[in-house]
């Protein structure tokens, strides 16, 4: 139906010859879950609309220039594309955006929130959303016009569709066509999908008798027709049955849609031999014809996907009893089996001796490597424990060079901002999995050192190669200095929690010596190492050493770089943080304002480096008892983080905590409790109930309740935090001691109150 609307809009524009009206569209059902986001819809719509401009708009040009300064070769979450899209659609008298299958997006509410923001400010912007009727969609649409279409109201449209589809069938007799049309119209039950599947089943008919026989077997209802399709697969040869079964397993639980080269290589995996059999890779046409209509090939992006969400629901709900004796069981998919198969395939891909220690890999000759790099840990954690698979995993991670290469390749391929946090989260999941299974695993500190080494290797790659990545034919992104330092900040936090900051310091000092930058010949390109060392010194509590290291970096940068250099702004921000830690709040504010002024000349307001600077400036302002001013800065940062990173990203959550502290400083405890409660809820869902950030957020909420006089609520929160901190950090850690003392103080206050 959405295709018909799009064709109608495009035809209307062509007919009216109005060049300034534009149409963009996005099919959520044809994208993997990771790409069904507001960012990707916006980026896709921009790509469709920009070519129609007579000249590049000033705002779009600014976005491109900022990306170029940061070394980004393609659009990413670091670019201010939401604001660019709003500026673009405002230039046309009418812009139409059609979004299909919104119900298949996990971030549907965020997508609708973004669209609502544009609709309120750009009245020439029009949106049509197609979706199944769900409570979430209905609630998110609010008061916007909606039309619910039931099966009965679609009958005439389906008859029209069937009449067109039947023209493509291999029969010419008018009476037969009329009979097919009448029969299928009754059995389609108001569902275009059912009508499509039915006509697809008739395509294989060889004669009038054969067509009537097939028509007689076409049942009413999706479940029955899916069962009929499986019965036909069961009648195929053993080799074709095995191939179809494997295709369905892989596509039901692949983390993202697989391109044909990826799927072809995965289908050649021989579990018994533990190898990919290149001469056993199936033909594309065979897979397409064998699995049709359950599986579709998308020619626009070269991917295979399940034809509809209901296909997965049908295949994964378990083998129905009546079909168990009909040879259909192999086609139904158990998630445990599929995840284990995908884990074995992807682990073998990253562990291949020809690529496991190299970054200069051609993705055309190793087509599954990109998918495997980003998803093998996920599939490993989702699959049931298997001794053989576990041993293969342990063999792979036993080599530091292989671990480091995997992390480096992951950083180069990952399109989302702040990629290190994703890596750390994945590593934790794997460690938890191994711990539950009673297996020894690499320590947290060793994994952090691997990530640090990957950053060092990344620096060498960017210096020694002309392209932003050494993954040939698979270049995704380059890593800016800002992103590297954000990685280092996260590393420093993780090192401190693991009690291994000294290890990180030693590695950066060694890297500086290796680069011959401890002498007088320090280059601006190596200053990020000085910045990083300063960050880790700060985590050690060596504040003066941190300040002197950052000053050294600033001196080099001011000597060799232009005044508006983004790297100079980065170093000033680091010095501002140190000044705040030293209690020199005036100096901290001055440094952050200088950095913000520099960024204002080179970056857009929504740039994440600007957002980070605003948050840092707000903290310095709050320390000077100016909560109103600090609150405005944090609110500006929060709005951008929600648009760019999402409501549940760790950086968004940290800003929520900052806002709660501003409200507390204003004496507005009710608002402080509201924001901190939202933070705790989101942190438990996103980071996990036992994450140290979640536990400390509970401490802060408990403190607000205590100030508000709700002592029992405060006691429960501090008690939860104490239990988690004792397990995670031990009884003597400062966070644990603080929680214990807070509980003791509350016990005394409650006792005095009750007495």
């Amino acid at each position: 139906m959405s295709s018909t609307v799009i064709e109608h809009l495009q035809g209307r524009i062509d007919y009216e010859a109005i060049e300034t009206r534009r149409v963009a569209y996005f099919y959520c059902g044809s994208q993997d879950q990771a790409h069904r986001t507001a960012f990707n819809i916006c980026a896709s719509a921009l790509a469709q609309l920009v070519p129609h401009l007579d000249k590049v708009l000033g705002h779009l040009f600014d976005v491109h220039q900022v990306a170029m300064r940061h070394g980004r070769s393609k659009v990413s979450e670091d670019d201010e594309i939401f604001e660019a899209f709003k500026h673009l659609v405002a230039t046309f008298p009418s812009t139409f955006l059609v979004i299909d299958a919104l119900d298949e997006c996990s971030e549907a509410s965020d997508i609708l929130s973004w669209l609502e923001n544009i609709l309120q400010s750009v009245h020439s912007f029009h949106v049509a959303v197609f979706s199944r009727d769900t409570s979430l969609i209905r609630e998110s649409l609010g008061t916007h016009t909606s039309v619910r279409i039931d099966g009965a109201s679609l009958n005439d449209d389906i008859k029209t569709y069937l009449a067109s589809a039947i023209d493509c069938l291999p029969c010419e007799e008018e009476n037969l066509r009329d009979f097919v049309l009448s029969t299928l119209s009754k059995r389609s039950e108001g569902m275009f999908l059912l009508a499509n599947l039915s006509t697809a089943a008739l395509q294989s008919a060889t004669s009038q008798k054969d067509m009537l026989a097939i028509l007689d077997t076409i049942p009413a209802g999706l479940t029955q027709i899916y069962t009929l399709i499986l019965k036909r697969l069961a009648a195929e040869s053993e080799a074709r049955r095995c191939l179809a079964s494997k295709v369905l397993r892989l596509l039901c639980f692949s983390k993202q849609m697989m391109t044909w080269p990826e799927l072809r290589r995965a289908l050649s995996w021989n579990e018994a031999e533990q190898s990919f059999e290149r001469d056993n890779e199936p033909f594309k046409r065979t897979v397409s014809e064998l699995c049709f209509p359950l599986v579709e090939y998308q020619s626009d992006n070269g991917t295979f996907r399940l034809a509809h969400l209901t296909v997965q629901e049908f295949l994964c709900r378990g083998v129905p009893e009546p079909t168990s004796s009909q040879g259909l069981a192999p086609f139904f998919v158990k998630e445990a089996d599929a995840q284990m198969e995908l884990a074995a395939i992807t682990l073998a891909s990253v562990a291949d001796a020809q690529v496991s220690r190299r970054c200069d890999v051609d993705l055309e000759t190793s087509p599954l490597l990109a998918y495997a790099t980003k998803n093998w840990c996920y599939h490993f954690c989702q699959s049931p424990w298997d001794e053989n698979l576990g041993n293969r995993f342990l063999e792979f991670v036993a080599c530091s060079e292989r671990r480091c290469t995997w992390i480096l390749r992951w950083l180069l391929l990952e399109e989302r901002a702040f990629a290190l946090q994703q890596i750390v989260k994945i590593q934790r999941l794997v460690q938890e999995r191994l711990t539950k299974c009673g297996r020894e695993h690499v320590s947290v500190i060793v994994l952090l050192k691997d990530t640090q080494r990957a950053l060092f290797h990344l620096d060498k790659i960017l210096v020694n190669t002309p392209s932003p990545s050494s993954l040939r034919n698979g270049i995704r992104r380059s890593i800016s200095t800002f992103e590297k330092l954000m990685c280092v900040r996260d590393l420093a936090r993780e090192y401190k929690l693991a009690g291994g900051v000294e290890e990180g310091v030693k590695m950066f000092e060694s890297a500086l010596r290796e680069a011959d930058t401890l002498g007088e010949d320090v280059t601006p390109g190596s200053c990020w190492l000085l910045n990083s060392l300063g960050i880790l010194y700060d985590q050690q509590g060596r504040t003066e050493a941190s300040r002197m290291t950052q000053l050294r970096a600033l001196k080099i940068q001011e000597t060799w770089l232009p005044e508006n250099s983004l790297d100079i702004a980065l170093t000033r921000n680091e010095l501002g943080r140190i000044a705040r830690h030293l209690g020199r709040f005036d100096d901290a504010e001055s440094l952050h304002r200088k950095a913000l002024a520099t960024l204002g000349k080179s970056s857009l307001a929504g740039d994440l480096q600007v957002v980070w600077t605003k948050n840092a400036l707000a903290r310095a302002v709050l320390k000077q008892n100016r909560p109103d001013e600090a609150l405005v800065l944090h609110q500006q940062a929060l709005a951008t983080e929600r648009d760019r990173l999402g409501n549940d990203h760790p950086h968004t959550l940290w800003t929520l905590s900052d806002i709660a502290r501003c409200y507390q400083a204003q004496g507005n405890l009710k608002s402080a409790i509201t924001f901190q409660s939202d933070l705790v809820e989101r942190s438990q869902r996103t980071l996990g109930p036992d994450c140290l950030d979640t536990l400390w957020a509970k401490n802060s909420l408990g403190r607000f309740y205590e100030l508000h006089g709700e002592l029992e609520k405060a006691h429960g929160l501090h008690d939860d935090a104490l239990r988690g901190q004792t397990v995670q950090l031990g009884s003597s850690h400062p966070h644990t001691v603080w929680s214990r003392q807070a509980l003791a103080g509350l016990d005394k206050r409650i006792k005095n109150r009750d007495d």
Side-chain angles (χ1 to χ4, degrees), residues 67 534 604:
L604 299 170

Side-chain angles (χ1 to χ4, degrees), residues 26 31 56 112 130 135 239 258 267 341 344 381 384 442 615 669:
F26 191 89
Q31 303 289 324
V56 177
L112 289 170
F130 292 84
S135 58
M258 302 182 84
L267 290 170
E341 187 169 12
C381 291
V442 179
N615 274 328
L669 285 172

Side-chain angles (χ1 to χ4, degrees), residues 441-508:
H441 51 78
V442 179
S443 70
V444 174
I445 292 176
V446 170
L447 292 176
L448 293 173
K449 291 169 73 173
D450 288 340
T451 307
Q452 203 168 333
R453 289 191 191 94
L455 287 175
F456 297 156
H457 288 306
L458 176 67
D459 205 33
K460 294 176 182 177
I461 287 175
L462 298 181
V463 168
N464 296 326
T465 60
S467 69
S469 164
S470 62
L471 291 169
R472 296 196 299 275
N473 301 307
I475 293 173
R476 300 289 185 183
R477 66 199 297 265
S478 59
I479 309 294
S480 67
T481 303
F482 172 64
E483 288 179 277
K484 282 192 283 189
L485 290 187
M486 293 304 290
C487 283
V488 172
R489 290 187 189 99
D490 290 335
L491 270 176
R493 292 178 74 250
E494 296 295 330
Y495 267 128
K496 187 166 186 177
L497 292 173
V501 180
E502 182 65 29
E503 297 291 332
V505 168
K506 288 178 180 177
M507 286 188 66
F508 272 113

Side-chain angles (χ1 to χ4, degrees), residues 152-173:
S153 61
L154 287 174
N155 286 335
D156 290 341
D157 290 333
I158 288 178
K159 284 183 179 179
T160 302
Y161 166 78
L162 284 171
S164 175
I166 289 170
D167 285 341
C168 299
L169 293 179
C171 63
E172 298 179 357
E173 295 80 359

Side-chain angles (χ1 to χ4, degrees), residues 219-286:
L222 283 176
T223 297
Q224 291 81 4
I225 199 166
Y226 285 150
T227 301
L228 174 64
I229 294 169
L230 292 188
K231 286 180 180 179
R232 294 206 179 115
L233 285 176
E236 296 281 355
S237 66
E238 182 180 359
R240 289 171 67 86
R241 289 198 305 271
C242 290
L243 176 59
S245 177
K246 192 168 186 176
V247 170
L248 295 175
R249 282 198 307 277
L250 296 183
L251 294 185
C252 274
F253 288 100
S254 59
K255 187 69 165 56
Q256 61 194 58
M257 283 195 303
M258 302 182 84
T259 65
W260 167 239
E262 289 171 341
L263 181 60
R264 179 179 59 197
R265 183 59 52 85
L267 290 170
S268 73
W269 173 250
N270 186 322
E271 179 64 25
E273 298 295 330
Q274 291 291 298
S275 65
F276 294 101
E277 298 178 338
R278 305 293 176 86
D279 59 350
N280 199 33
E281 291 183 349
F283 299 121
K284 178 181 175 181
R285 182 175 176 179
T286 300

Side-chain angles (χ1 to χ4, degrees), residues 176-323:
L176 179 58
R177 290 190 175 202
D178 290 343
F179 181 71
V180 170
L181 175 61
S182 174
T183 303
L184 293 186
S185 296
K186 295 175 183 177
R187 295 182 182 177
S188 293
E189 297 182 345
M191 289 187 285
F192 276 97
L193 176 63
L194 195 52
N196 179 51
L197 292 170
S198 299
T199 54
L202 293 171
Q203 289 285 353
S204 60
T206 59
S207 64
Q208 177 175 329
K209 180 179 179 181
D210 188 32
M211 182 168 288
L212 290 173
I214 294 174
L215 186 64
D216 189 51
T217 62
I218 292 178
L222 283 176
T223 297
Q224 291 81 4
I225 199 166
Y226 285 150
T227 301
L228 174 64
I229 294 169
L230 292 188
K231 286 180 180 179
R232 294 206 179 115
L233 285 176
E236 296 281 355
S237 66
E238 182 180 359
R240 289 171 67 86
R241 289 198 305 271
C242 290
L243 176 59
S245 177
K246 192 168 186 176
V247 170
L248 295 175
R249 282 198 307 277
L250 296 183
L251 294 185
C252 274
F253 288 100
S254 59
K255 187 69 165 56
Q256 61 194 58
M257 283 195 303
M258 302 182 84
T259 65
W260 167 239
E262 289 171 341
L263 181 60
R264 179 179 59 197
R265 183 59 52 85
L267 290 170
S268 73
W269 173 250
N270 186 322
E271 179 64 25
E273 298 295 330
Q274 291 291 298
S275 65
F276 294 101
E277 298 178 338
R278 305 293 176 86
D279 59 350
N280 199 33
E281 291 183 349
F283 299 121
K284 178 181 175 181
R285 182 175 176 179
T286 300
V287 172
S288 182
E289 292 180 353
L290 177 64
C291 298
F292 181 81
L294 299 179
V295 171
E296 293 178 347
Y297 176 69
Q298 301 287 311
S299 58
D300 56 339
N301 56 16
T303 59
F304 275 87
R305 62 182 286 269
L306 298 178
H308 196 264
L309 183 64
T310 55
V311 176
Q312 183 183 32
E313 292 173 348
F314 170 75
L315 294 174
C316 298
R317 67 186 182 188
V319 184
E321 188 60 35
T323 66

Side-chain angles (χ1 to χ4, degrees), residues 26 34-46 74-82 85 107 110-111 114 415-417 642-646:
F26 191 89
H35 286 78
R36 300 171 195 166
T37 64
F39 169 80
N40 283 286
I41 294 174
C42 183
S44 175
L46 265 176
K74 63 176 292 187
V75 67
S76 76
E77 290 185 359
D78 295 325
D79 299 309
E80 196 176 340
I81 68 166
F82 292 111
F85 182 79
E107 299 182 9
D110 290 340
I111 293 169
W114 160 61
E415 295 175 341
R416 287 171 291 182
R642 281 175 165 167
D643 280 344
R644 302 284 300 280
L645 303 175

